Each structure stands twice: as structure tokens, then as C-alpha cells.
Amino acid sequence: MRNYFYTFVFIGMVVVKILDCRLYSYSLPFSKPFIVAGKPLENRQGIIIGLVSNHGSGLGDIAPLPGVSEENFKKALYAINQIRPLFFNCDLPDDTA
């Protein structure tokens, strides 16, 4: 049933298959503390996401801002690791085609 759904929805569209997904964490120190929501930040912490598909590659990032975002770095890392396996074996429409 799942294959039928994807075939039906994406008929006449280019299909993108995710081939690789890599995660790179970073922590970049500020030269001086940066004040956010009244609290000093000493560094900026986040995750770079590298995706490779059958149509190319791209980068993105997740960088929750302490004091502003509900999420924090640990929650973001946990969440991306939970959904990362779903990127594979899934056909996505290429809306740029």
C-alpha cells in the first residue's frame, strides 16, 4: 500500500532519494559574552546537517538559542537522531523540478 501511495502522489514528478545524512556538532566561542534574553552566552552551539540525494547535496543547521528557544542542544540532537533513520527508504518529491 505504501509504494502505491508514493507512486500515486508523485506521478509525473521527479523523486528525490536521500542517500546519506551526516551530522556535525559545533561549539563556537564568542570573543566576548553575547547577551540573549538577559543572560550571557559564551558560545554558540549547534548541529550541521549534510544531506546527499540522487539529485545533489545540501547543508542545513539546527542551533537552538538558549533563553529564546524551548529546545536546547541536547534535545535537538536527540530529536534529529530519532528522525534521521526516516530520511532513508523514503521518496520525496522534488518541488524544484
Side-chain angles (χ1 to χ4, degrees), residues 10-11 69 74 76:
F10 302 142
I11 210 162
S69 305
K74 286 182 181 181

Side-chain angles (χ1 to χ4, degrees), residues 29-45:
F30 291 123
S31 57
K32 60 183 181 178
F34 185 72
I35 307 299
V36 175
K39 298 178 182 176
L41 269 181
E42 302 289 330
N43 64 3
R44 189 73 167 115
Q45 202 172 18

